[in-house]
Amino acid sequence: MDTANLSREETAARSAAITLRSIRVELDLTGAPERARAGFPTTTTLEFDATTDTTWLDFIGEEVRRVEVNGVEQQVVHDGARIALSGLAASNVVRVEAIGAYSRSGEGLHRFHDPVDEATYLYTQYEPADSRRVMACFEQPDMKAAYTFVVDAPSGWEVLSNQAPARTDRGVGVQRVEFAPTLPISSYITAVAAGPYARVDGAWERGEQHIPLGVFIRRSLAEHLESDEILEVTRQGLDFFTDAFAYPYPWGKYDQIFVPEYNLGAMENPGLVTFTEAYISRGAATDAQRAARANTILHEMAHMWFGDLVTMKWWDDLWLKESFADYMGSHASAVATRFHDAWVSFAGKRKAWAYQQDQLPTTHPIVADITDLEAAKLNFDGITYAKGASVLKQLVAFVGDDAFFEGARRYFAANAFGNTTLHDFLVELSAVSGRDMTDWSRAWLQTSGVSALWIETDAEGRRALHQTDPRPHRLRIGLYDRIDDRIVRRDQVELDVVDERTELDLPDADLVVLNDDDLTYAKARLDEHSLRTVEESLSAIEDPLTRALIWSSLWNATRDGELDAARYLAIVRTHAPSEANIGLLSGVLLNAAYTLRHFVDDERLPAERREWTETTWRALQAADAGTDAQLSWARGLAAASASDDARHAEVREMLDGRVPDGLVVDPDLRWQLLTSLVATGHAGADDIAAELARDDTGSGRTAARRALASRPDAAVRRAAWDAAWNDLSLSNDHLDAEIAGFRAGGRRDLIAEFDSDYFGRIGHAWSTRSIELAQRLVVGLFPQSESSDLVDAWLGENEAAPAALRRLVIEQRDHLERSLRIRALSRS
């Protein structure tokens, strides 16, 4: 086994034999601005008790220079991932001197040089197991300790960690910052950031509590930072969670930092939460984008309790933090901020992620069987996040808000600064709700799959509700009628459903909505009469949550081949231009584009693409000036124009400054528009160079790389293919840009020749690249061929390949098979 891929069994044995007390980490980052310097000195001192005379520390870096155990130097035994320790006593002090490597993949200590002002920025990202790229440690969540970080950095830099500085010593051109020790935390949520970040300060106060707030961003983006709203949401969140959890925020300060080339949306490091810069608009943003940012701020804040204060014992119970944080992000948004429609976006977009993931052959229970770190890395998925949150939403409907939050309060009080499993939470919830949660847990947390619900009417007019994969549901059925030009709810029936078939006594209605109010987790189908009502009048439904459920039902039926793709696209063309909820609209635009790429057969595809391009153009012209709808349709036009050039002249005019009144064409939209012209051959390298001169920023350089790789030329696509696999200097974002350019415009005629080569490369990439970059290659370059023969052959010949790699390939095969099946159905 790869020694970097720690297993559940061996880490459990290690934590049983080792009691960790404290860790001191000293980092010398003074050389970070020097591009030629690939590494940084790191010294770790660990104090722990042991009932064994041997163990190991985890470290991945350039080299280990010295290991000292209880004052005695030992021979360095390091296999690239583990440092062997021997001669341990009952109590030990171990010191490790090493050289870590600056990251370009977003794993460990990532380094970014800003082309705008040549400034250097550093930040760490560890989950699930990359703190070992910065310090020698016990890389597992159940070995908590107090961490003290000491950082040497250039003068003038902001230097940040989980705690506030306890002492700062300033020298000539350098500074040493020693931070106060943390409370007991796991290694994966420790954090360091350093660089000339711009800073905005604030505070939150409640009684005797005073929490300093900080918001940080690169200087070249500071003018775009909406710090007032970020701080407002932060204060609203601290108000809400302090009351909801009845446990004061324990981490001292609350800094939030937006960082470049970030692999995630955000990370819940206590006292120093990191966010992707994608949450910062460079000129134009919809309110749905701001709502998503607020949701993420609150999601990460929920982790300060769910995940940081109380942490899962091993990654099997990842849901104990991610499902809860996902639920809390939407709940707190809806009740504590101005974004009251958070559950609309959840129903319309977030649950779609869960439904898709839960239908893959690799789906798993919410409480998963995670045998090792590679499996843990892949389990940050739609099941752990969105399905888990959906199930918790149903649980709240089942036991009530009061019981749910009281269970959470008792859970925190009983397990603060400790590690837990599913059992620990269920004990507290059962006690306060008066219900035995065993059956609920078995049905929803410990089994996989998604039920489908639909109503059938027999010849005598009797109705029954049917479900596949039966589970207990508490749901509501909404009965809607057409009144003048509106569709409004006349009545609602609430019931508990357990069996495959449940008889119903329902009156006739123009529209019957199963799972009205979105209480349960299930794919709810529309009957044919309701579907006809939706085709005619979807945009006449006043309630946005109901529209979200309808859009979701349509999309699920299309993905399952039960609703013809052409019929789905016709509904979108008719009603999306009238969709007032921008969160729903953005999701519908993405789903329409996916349908065109994957579910429409080749014969109909040119006509469907053309109709969609015209729809986006007409909707853009009709949208009110300066609205979110106008911006959304402009983005939709740019996406559509990458594969259909009917409006290339108008796209060029928009780049030349002739835009609809009120439309803000910021640098990111300009790149989208230009790249669509490049992909269809209506712009070239000179246009890209001119645009880069206009926007020579980090984002601009990434966008230029994508645009160059999008040119519809076989040699260009081959160069992008070669760069993706072979250019090891590419950062994570630049790798994504090469992959996106390679696939631009859906031009199978330019890239089909690489299908076989892909399967010859993925094994080597998995064994030699970091899992983050390898995953991007395996997923991003998977061939969208006309059969599954090549992937079936690879799976047959590589049964011994790493389980995580096989999982990714199996999932991509399933997506391909679904696309082929639906396209075949549309031809029949």
Side-chain angles (χ1 to χ4, degrees), residues 52-64:
T52 178
D53 63 350
T54 63
T55 190
W56 81 94
L57 295 173
D58 303 298
F59 180 74
I60 298 174
E62 290 190 351
E63 65 173 311
V64 177

Side-chain angles (χ1 to χ4, degrees), residues 127 141 188 245 268 299 302-328 364-368 370 379-380 383-385 387-389 392 395 404 407-408 411-412 415 418-429 440-441 445:
E127 191 174 39
Y188 77 92
F245 295 154
E268 67 267 21
H299 174 118
H303 275 311
M304 300 298 117
W305 290 265
F306 281 110
D308 295 357
L309 179 65
V310 183
T311 310
M312 69 274 156
K313 194 174 187 67
W314 178 249
W315 301 102
D316 303 49
D317 283 300
L318 177 62
W319 81 283
L320 276 172
K321 69 184 190 76
E322 294 302 346
S323 298
F324 283 86
D326 221 43
Y327 172 81
M328 290 296 173
H364 56 85
I366 294 171
V367 179
I370 304 299
N379 252 46
F380 290 81
I383 303 297
T384 302
Y385 285 74
K387 181 180 180 179
L392 289 175
L395 174 65
F404 178 77
Y411 176 70
F412 298 137
N415 301 288
N419 296 88
T420 59
T421 65
L422 165 66
H423 172 76
D424 299 298
F425 178 71
L426 294 183
V427 164
E428 303 301 338
L429 190 59
W440 174 84
S441 174
L445 301 181

Side-chain angles (χ1 to χ4, degrees), residues 653-765:
E653 289 178 354
M654 291 173 68
L655 282 171
D656 291 341
R658 295 187 291 276
V659 300
D661 289 344
L663 179 65
V664 176
V665 182
D666 68 1
D668 297 321
L669 180 54
R670 286 189 60 84
W671 280 113
Q672 292 172 38
L673 293 167
L674 176 59
T675 303
S676 73
L677 293 178
V678 171
T680 53
H682 295 286
D686 290 344
D687 298 284
I688 297 168
E691 192 65 28
L692 182 59
R694 179 186 182 123
D695 181 34
D696 191 11
T697 63
S699 297
R701 290 188 180 187
T702 300
R705 181 180 288 273
R706 175 176 179 168
L708 286 168
S710 299
R711 289 172 291 170
D713 178 87
V716 168
R717 300 300 174 94
R718 174 173 288 281
W721 176 264
D722 289 340
W725 292 107
N726 300 320
D727 187 349
L728 302 183
S729 70
L730 292 178
S731 71
N732 45 2
D733 280 7
H734 287 179
L735 175 61
D736 280 349
E738 295 289 352
I739 292 171
F742 176 78
R743 304 201 78 116
R747 293 291 301 272
R748 282 286 298 162
D749 57 312
L750 296 176
I751 64 175
E753 65 177 283
F754 301 104
D755 290 359
S756 296
D757 191 27
Y758 167 90
F759 292 102
R761 290 179 179 268
I762 56 177
H764 178 71

Side-chain angles (χ1 to χ4, degrees), residues 279-291:
Y279 284 123
I280 305 300
S281 164
R282 294 199 291 160
T286 66
D287 220 37
Q289 289 175 276
R290 295 187 177 94

Side-chain angles (χ1 to χ4, degrees), residues 180-351:
T182 70
L183 294 167
I185 57 176
S186 305
S187 60
Y188 77 92
I189 52 174
T190 61
V192 169
Y197 289 97
R199 173 178 191 146
V200 177
D201 289 316
W204 174 81
E205 295 181 347
R206 167 72 71 86
E208 295 182 358
Q209 263 198 300
H210 176 87
I211 305 298
L213 308 178
V215 182
F216 300 83
I217 195 167
R218 284 188 289 137
R219 290 183 306 196
S220 61
L221 284 177
E223 65 179 298
H224 304 298
L225 179 66
E226 295 177 329
S227 58
D228 288 346
E229 180 166 270
I230 291 167
L231 287 170
E232 179 184 22
V233 171
T234 303
R235 294 186 186 101
Q236 290 168 332
L238 287 169
D239 283 338
F240 174 79
F241 288 120
T242 297
D243 291 336
F245 295 154
Y247 193 108
Y249 174 78
W251 307 111
K253 67 181 178 72
Y254 203 95
D255 288 339
Q256 298 171 100
I257 184 168
F258 293 84
V259 296
E261 297 184 327
Y262 197 55
N263 291 329
L264 309 177
M267 182 64 204
E268 67 267 21
N269 315 305
L272 182 58
V273 183
T274 40
F275 293 85
T276 173
E277 288 180 346
Y279 284 123
I280 305 300
S281 164
R282 294 199 291 160
T286 66
D287 220 37
Q289 289 175 276
R290 295 187 177 94
R293 182 177 64 201
N295 191 302
T296 302
I297 289 171
L298 296 169
H299 174 118
E300 303 308 323
M301 189 178 291
H303 275 311
M304 300 298 117
W305 290 265
F306 281 110
D308 295 357
L309 179 65
V310 183
T311 310
M312 69 274 156
K313 194 174 187 67
W314 178 249
W315 301 102
D316 303 49
D317 283 300
L318 177 62
W319 81 283
L320 276 172
K321 69 184 190 76
E322 294 302 346
S323 298
F324 283 86
D326 221 43
Y327 172 81
M328 290 296 173
S330 293
H331 181 72
S333 291
V335 302
T337 77
R338 69 182 180 89
F339 302 107
H340 302 303
D341 64 350
W343 287 119
V344 175
S345 296
F346 184 86
K349 296 174 66 175
R350 195 67 168 176
K351 287 179 79 170

Side-chain angles (χ1 to χ4, degrees), residues 594 597-599 602 721 742-743 746-749 751-752 754-755 758-759 778-788 790 811-820 823:
Y594 189 95
R597 290 196 305 272
H598 295 281
F599 297 154
D602 292 342
W721 176 264
F742 176 78
R743 304 201 78 116
R747 293 291 301 272
R748 282 286 298 162
D749 57 312
I751 64 175
F754 301 104
D755 290 359
Y758 167 90
F759 292 102
V778 172
V779 173
L781 294 173
F782 184 87
Q784 299 298 315
S785 54
E786 295 304 313
S787 80
S788 59
L790 287 173
E811 289 177 351
Q812 297 310 304
R813 181 197 182 280
D814 190 76
H815 293 317
L816 174 62
E817 279 290 308
R818 181 181 292 266
S819 298
L820 295 174
R823 292 206 297 267

Side-chain angles (χ1 to χ4, degrees), residues 341-606:
D341 64 350
W343 287 119
V344 175
S345 296
F346 184 86
K349 296 174 66 175
R350 195 67 168 176
K351 287 179 79 170
W353 181 26
Y355 292 142
Q356 174 180 303
Q357 190 85 42
D358 216 6
Q359 294 177 89
L360 292 170
T362 56
T363 189
H364 56 85
I366 294 171
V367 179
D369 180 25
I370 304 299
T371 59
D372 55 37
L373 286 180
E374 286 192 357
K377 178 75 172 178
L378 298 191
N379 252 46
F380 290 81
D381 60 14
I383 303 297
T384 302
Y385 285 74
K387 181 180 180 179
S390 302
V391 168
L392 289 175
K393 188 170 188 278
Q394 185 205 52
L395 174 65
V396 173
F398 185 57
V399 304
D401 271 351
D402 291 345
F404 178 77
F405 280 98
E406 180 58 27
R409 295 180 191 114
R410 294 189 183 190
Y411 176 70
F412 298 137
N415 301 288
F417 305 107
N419 296 88
T420 59
T421 65
L422 165 66
H423 172 76
D424 299 298
F425 178 71
L426 294 183
V427 164
E428 303 301 338
L429 190 59
S430 296
V432 297
S433 67
R435 302 172 184 263
D436 184 351
M437 303 307 299
T438 304
D439 290 343
W440 174 84
S441 174
R442 186 179 300 113
W444 288 105
L445 301 181
Q446 296 167 276
T447 61
S448 60
V450 55
S451 303
L453 305 176
W454 72 96
I455 292 176
E456 288 187 0
T457 304
D458 64 17
E460 285 75 36
R462 292 173 301 199
R463 293 185 174 92
L465 176 65
H466 295 258
Q467 71 162 316
T468 60
D469 197 11
R471 287 183 177 81
H473 302 271
R474 171 159 292 181
L475 57 83
R476 294 170 184 156
I477 299 176
L479 305 174
Y480 292 74
D481 287 338
R482 191 190 311 274
I483 299 177
D484 298 327
D485 59 350
R486 300 175 300 144
I487 302 294
V488 296
R489 184 164 61 200
R490 178 208 340 141
D491 199 3
Q492 192 179 66
V493 177
E494 185 166 338
L495 70 160
D496 291 323
V497 176
V498 177
D499 301 322
E500 289 187 22
R501 184 180 186 276
T502 304
E503 291 189 3
L504 298 174
D505 182 15
L506 292 177
D508 291 335
D510 291 318
L511 172 63
V512 178
V513 178
L514 297 176
N515 196 25
D516 208 23
D517 292 338
D518 195 33
L519 297 186
T520 196
Y521 172 78
K523 294 186 298 180
R525 302 299 196 208
L526 294 167
D527 63 80
E528 184 59 33
H529 180 72
S530 295
L531 180 57
R532 288 196 296 271
T533 298
V534 165
E535 285 181 304
E536 297 171 2
S537 306
L538 192 162
S539 50
I541 299 172
E542 294 183 335
D543 179 42
L545 180 57
T546 304
R547 295 200 308 276
L549 296 171
I550 298 299
W551 283 120
S552 174
S553 180
L554 294 170
W555 175 235
N556 283 324
T558 304
R559 287 193 72 250
D560 291 348
E562 296 188 11
L563 179 65
D564 184 73
R567 193 176 182 185
Y568 172 74
L569 289 170
I571 294 172
V572 173
R573 290 194 298 268
T574 301
H575 295 290
S578 301
E579 180 51 68
N581 185 283
I582 300 304
L584 292 181
L585 176 60
S586 63
V588 171
L589 293 177
L590 291 173
N591 289 343
Y594 189 95
T595 300
L596 287 165
R597 290 196 305 272
H598 295 281
F599 297 154
V600 177
D601 70 271
D602 292 342
E603 184 177 343
R604 293 192 305 175
L605 185 56

